[in-house]
Amino acid sequence: LIIKRYVHYILSSQDQIPVDHVVNLGGIRNPRDKLLQLFHLKKAVYEKEIVSLENRISYAHIVSQAVIKPTEEILSFMKSAEFDPQRMVVFEPQYQSVLSLSTENGVPEGSCKILKYQNESIRLNVSTNKPGYLILSEIHYPGWRATVDGKKVKVLRGNYIFRVIPLGEGEHEIFLYFVSWPFRIGACISLLSLIGSIWFILKRGKKK
């Protein structure tokens, strides 16, 4: 299963009309597009060769400016010259009530260091001299949770498909982890079914 937003994002990066059912990876003619840079790509297969990509956008970085755009306008805005991924992050209107919007254009001074990276957990140390938004080159997906200095925070969706975490000024330890509720519910149902089956077998055996 392919995430619908990922399909739209990839096709928009190549100036193709977004559709819901097909991702034409063979149609990527511009691996250096600004939208693709946000994936923090280092190399790409292009015209049957492996090419190195100069990527100025790091895997984890902090911006201070938040912009609100309707969902249907975000990709076209990100393609325009107005969007600077090193200075701003674009959110949908649903997040307006939880954002501290800033029109400041400066880039926060600080650092992001990955302490641990696994399929279902990521730990980072982040330092910033002003409040901002930590943007990760990771696709936003239901089930991802986060803590900042041990306190639970909401993982926001910014720049159409990426994970974003609001941060205050100072040094922080960020921990992201994945919780699959469908898996947990399925495991509980399976466990209850197993217990019920054992109880039924033991009860039937006693009667005999």
Side-chain angles (χ1 to χ4, degrees), residues 7-189:
V7 174
H8 290 184
Y9 191 92
I10 293 294
L11 293 178
S12 295
S13 75
Q14 303 303 302
D15 297 320
Q16 299 180 36
I17 298 175
V19 294
D20 294 343
H21 307 294
V22 179
V23 180
N24 184 12
L25 296 178
I28 295 182
R29 299 179 179 86
N30 182 16
R32 296 178 175 84
D33 181 84
K34 179 167 63 174
L35 294 188
L36 294 186
Q37 286 186 17
L38 269 69
F39 283 122
H40 192 57
L41 301 177
K42 297 290 186 68
K43 296 182 182 295
V45 178
Y46 179 60
E47 294 183 346
K48 299 181 180 181
E49 294 183 357
I50 298 178
V51 296
S52 297
L53 304 176
E54 293 184 8
N55 199 326
R56 61 191 180 93
I57 302 173
S58 59
Y59 165 78
H61 64 284
I62 304 171
V63 301
S64 59
Q65 185 179 3
V67 178
I68 297 289
K69 292 287 182 182
T71 304
E72 61 275 12
E73 296 179 12
I74 290 179
L75 291 175
S76 58
F77 174 76
M78 292 176 66
K79 291 280 290 182
S80 71
E82 294 181 68
F83 175 66
D84 184 349
Q86 290 187 308
R87 295 177 179 272
M88 64 180 66
V89 56
V90 189
F91 291 106
E92 293 163 78
Q94 68 194 62
Y95 290 124
Q96 190 155 12
S97 61
V98 299
L99 297 179
S100 175
L101 298 181
S102 170
T103 57
E104 187 174 347
N105 293 322
V107 179
E109 296 180 3
S111 62
C112 299
K113 182 180 180 181
I114 302 174
L115 303 178
K116 178 182 178 183
Y117 186 96
Q118 295 180 330
N119 289 338
E120 297 186 355
S121 65
I122 305 170
R123 191 179 296 275
L124 308 94
N125 265 350
V126 177
S127 174
T128 174
N129 68 334
K130 63 180 69 175
Y133 302 93
L134 173 66
I135 305 174
L136 298 175
S137 294
E138 299 281 354
I139 294 177
H140 184 278
Y141 191 81
W144 278 97
R145 306 285 188 268
T147 62
V148 176
D149 301 325
K151 297 180 180 179
K152 290 184 178 180
V153 298
K154 187 173 182 179
V155 180
L156 309 182
R157 181 174 58 214
N159 292 344
Y160 198 72
I161 60 171
F162 295 99
R163 297 177 211 163
V164 181
I165 299 175
L167 292 178
E169 179 183 345
E171 295 187 5
H172 306 283
E173 182 171 313
I174 317 296
F175 180 53
L176 292 97
Y177 57 98
F178 184 71
V179 177
S180 176
W181 283 111
F183 174 80
R184 291 188 175 191
I185 293 172
C188 289
I189 293 173

